[in-house]
Amino acid sequence: MRSTSSTYRTRRAMATAAALLAGALVLTACGGDDDNASDNESKGTDNSTSVTLPKLDGQTLEVAAVWTGAEQENFTQVLKEFTKRTGAKVKFVPTGNNTSTFLGAKIEGGQPPDVAFLPQVGVLKQFAEKKWLKPLGAEAKAQLDKNFSQGWRDLGAVDGQQYGVYAKAANKSLIWYNTAAFDAAGITETPKTWKEFLTTAQTLSDAGSPAVSIGGADGWTLTDWFENVYLSQAGPEKYDQLAQHKIKWTDPSVKQALTTLAELWGKDELIAGGRKGALDTDFPKSVTQAFTGDTPAAMVYEGDFVTANINADTKAKVGTDAKVFPFPAVGADSPVVSGGDVAVALKDGKGAQALLTFLASTDAAEIWAAQGGILSPNKEMDQSKYKDDVTRQIAKALIDAGDDFRFDMSDQAPAAFGGTQGTGEWKDLQDFLSNPSDVAGAQQKLEADAAKAYGSS
């Protein structure tokens, strides 16, 4: 998320956010699941209400998003409460990884869903420019203004028109680790710098554990790796310039970041299954293979949403078997990269606007948070609703960081470059994972694809 303040102020805010996160994780490192959350909360059936919704009996709405598995099931609890309050039936439609392509075909075919969650800011801008989005109504905007900071509101607006609600956010600067693997290797402290991270990985590997699980089959995970290294190493000003393609991917700062990544990606013995195995591993599997099996991987990088997969697909307990530390500092500061999914209306009508109003409310945020595997940018929600202490503290750090952290770079790019499976940055970084020695070749591919996508957007 870009700030209009000076580079110094932004660096200070990033450092503060990282310190808040690190402190929060230290405080909760020994904690397990919070047993204070009632069964009623975890099922999303809290009877308190903070928003009035219209009666929509007889109406059927479609909601499209990328989520599957545990993430989809958790969101379904929010939709069930919406149905309970309004009478509307809601059908969830999975988009697959190519959200913009899926929705574009639906819209051009005259059958768009009523509401869709867009995982990239670039797609929001493209859809707005094509006049595919419906502006937020007065009720939805009132909830948004009351519950969200200016930065999150700005991310859902294009040219001064408010289109979206960032109902789901992510802190994408986290390393999750298997405590048993750390204990077996005699590791008592988590790494704080990139150099320490590589040393820790080597120690784990020498002790017989695959050190790092990488979900390389999903190219978006690789963009997140790059962004954290680049933000910490090159700094926020360069990050903003590259995100807007004001500097080229052949810039020396990109070479430096890719060279740094190659220090890990170039060592098969540090990666679960080696590079080939990583390229065959999707995101959910990258999580499960870190917490299941006879020789689980010791660490997996990704955002707070990892908890949804740990809770649903493993027997590990977050805060006990599965702990977390901030992404290590490559430069002066640890990075703070955020992502999020923005809900937008693709159809006119009372139903779509009612759902956006609900999604902007504290009611929906608290129901969703109680399921686990989600952070909400809703600053007015009751944070005790989060399922466990670890997530609760990560969420607090996100809110306390304000608007000065950086938003996911690939999500700001045109979808053809930063948001499409098998093409653009996703494919180029998969190719680089396959051959981390070819830094120059990776830069040339990234720049060619970026120039094409930004030039046509």
Side-chain angles (χ1 to χ4, degrees):
M1 190 179 300
R2 295 189 296 277
S3 170
T4 57
S5 57
S6 68
T7 300
Y8 169 74
R9 178 171 176 267
T10 303
R11 275 191 178 277
R12 184 176 63 184
M14 286 171 55
T16 300
L20 282 166
L21 176 58
L25 298 182
V26 168
L27 288 172
T28 59
C30 295
D33 288 346
D34 186 352
D35 294 329
N36 292 329
S38 68
D39 292 338
N40 194 46
E41 288 172 346
S42 65
K43 294 177 182 178
T45 56
D46 191 343
N47 292 322
S48 62
T49 60
S50 68
V51 61
T52 301
L53 300 173
K55 288 298 180 182
L56 301 170
D57 297 280
Q59 293 193 31
T60 299
L61 305 178
E62 280 194 349
V63 180
V66 69
W67 312 311
T68 58
E71 285 189 294
Q72 178 183 335
E73 176 57 30
N74 291 346
F75 177 58
T76 299
Q77 301 304 321
V78 180
L79 298 181
K80 286 180 179 178
E81 182 66 16
F82 179 77
T83 294
K84 177 182 174 183
R85 296 189 189 187
T86 65
K89 294 181 180 179
V90 187
K91 178 183 178 183
F92 181 87
V93 180
T95 66
N97 278 331
N98 295 339
T99 300
S100 62
T101 301
F102 175 90
L103 293 174
K106 288 284 189 180
I107 293 166
E108 291 177 339
Q111 295 182 320
D114 297 87
V115 170
F117 279 83
L118 308 180
Q120 288 98 19
V121 178
V123 174
L124 175 77
K125 294 176 179 176
Q126 289 178 330
F127 280 22
E129 289 166 359
K130 292 181 179 181
K131 310 297 183 186
W132 285 352
L133 305 181
K134 309 302 178 184
L136 245 59
E139 292 82 3
K141 193 170 184 305
Q143 288 293 316
L144 188 71
D145 291 345
K146 181 175 70 172
N147 297 324
F148 291 78
S149 69
Q150 188 64 51
W152 288 103
R153 299 201 299 269
D154 288 348
L155 280 170
V158 179
D159 296 331
Q161 180 68 259
Q162 195 74 51
Y163 291 105
V165 175
Y166 270 90
K168 184 177 187 288
N171 183 320
K172 304 181 91 173
S173 297
L174 303 172
I175 306 287
W176 298 84
Y177 68 100
N178 185 313
T179 57
F182 268 53
D183 291 343
I187 299 170
T188 57
E189 293 186 9
T190 56
K192 295 178 175 58
T193 68
W194 182 256
K195 183 179 179 180
E196 291 175 358
F197 178 71
L198 294 176
T199 299
T200 298
Q202 189 65 59
T203 300
L204 288 160
S205 179
D206 292 345
S209 292
V212 183
S213 177
I214 299 176
D218 290 325
W220 61 267
T221 66
L222 305 184
T223 71
D224 291 347
W225 273 100
F226 172 83
E227 287 157 11
N228 276 275
V229 169
Y230 189 84
L231 177 58
S232 181
Q233 192 170 59
E237 185 176 350
K238 283 279 192 182
Y239 185 96
D240 290 346
Q241 291 172 352
L242 188 60
Q244 299 169 56
H245 201 223
K246 290 183 177 179
I247 59 174
K248 295 183 177 181
W249 284 79
T250 49
D251 189 84
S253 62
V254 176
K255 177 182 179 180
Q256 187 180 22
L258 292 175
T259 301
T260 298
L261 272 177
E263 293 174 353
L264 172 65
W265 292 5
K267 293 186 176 181
D268 265 4
E269 70 273 18
L270 300 184
I271 301 172
R275 294 191 296 274
K276 186 178 185 302
L279 288 166
D280 290 334
T281 300
D282 60 15
F283 162 67
K285 183 181 176 183
S286 75
V287 177
T288 57
Q289 72 181 13
F291 299 102
T292 59
D294 294 333
T295 55
M299 296 183 287
V300 59
Y301 157 70
E302 252 313 333
D304 55 274
F305 44 84
V306 164
T307 59
N309 299 84
I310 294 174
N311 290 332
D313 302 326
T314 80
K315 295 181 180 179
K317 280 188 168 294
V318 173
T320 304
D321 308 307
K323 295 183 181 179
V324 62
F325 58 87
F327 196 96
V330 186
D333 302 314
S334 289
V336 182
V337 177
S338 177
D341 298 270
V342 59
V344 297
L346 299 179
K347 281 185 179 180
D348 289 313
K350 185 184 290 186
Q353 290 296 330
L355 183 53
L356 290 177
T357 300
F358 186 55
L359 290 171
S361 72
T362 58
D363 291 2
E366 289 167 5
I367 292 167
W368 207 347
Q371 312 311 313
I374 177 184
L375 297 186
S376 174
N378 190 314
K379 61 185 177 63
E380 300 299 324
M381 66 166 282
D382 180 357
Q383 302 227 340
S384 71
K385 300 295 183 180
Y386 282 105
K387 190 171 184 178
D388 58 77
D389 285 337
V390 172
T391 305
R392 186 176 301 113
Q393 295 299 332
I394 294 172
K396 183 179 185 300
L398 180 70
I399 296 295
D400 289 348
D403 296 327
D404 286 307
F405 52 86
R406 264 25 184 194
F407 199 81
D408 187 296
M409 185 188 295
S410 63
D411 288 352
Q412 299 181 53
F417 179 65
T420 303
Q421 185 80 357
T423 62
E425 188 182 0
W426 292 20
K427 178 62 164 61
D428 295 339
L429 288 178
Q430 287 174 323
D431 290 345
F432 180 62
L433 174 58
S434 178
N435 183 18
S437 64
D438 189 13
V439 172
Q443 285 187 270
Q444 290 167 2
K445 288 180 183 179
L446 286 160
E447 175 53 30
D449 287 337
K452 182 179 178 180
Y454 280 86
S456 62
S457 66

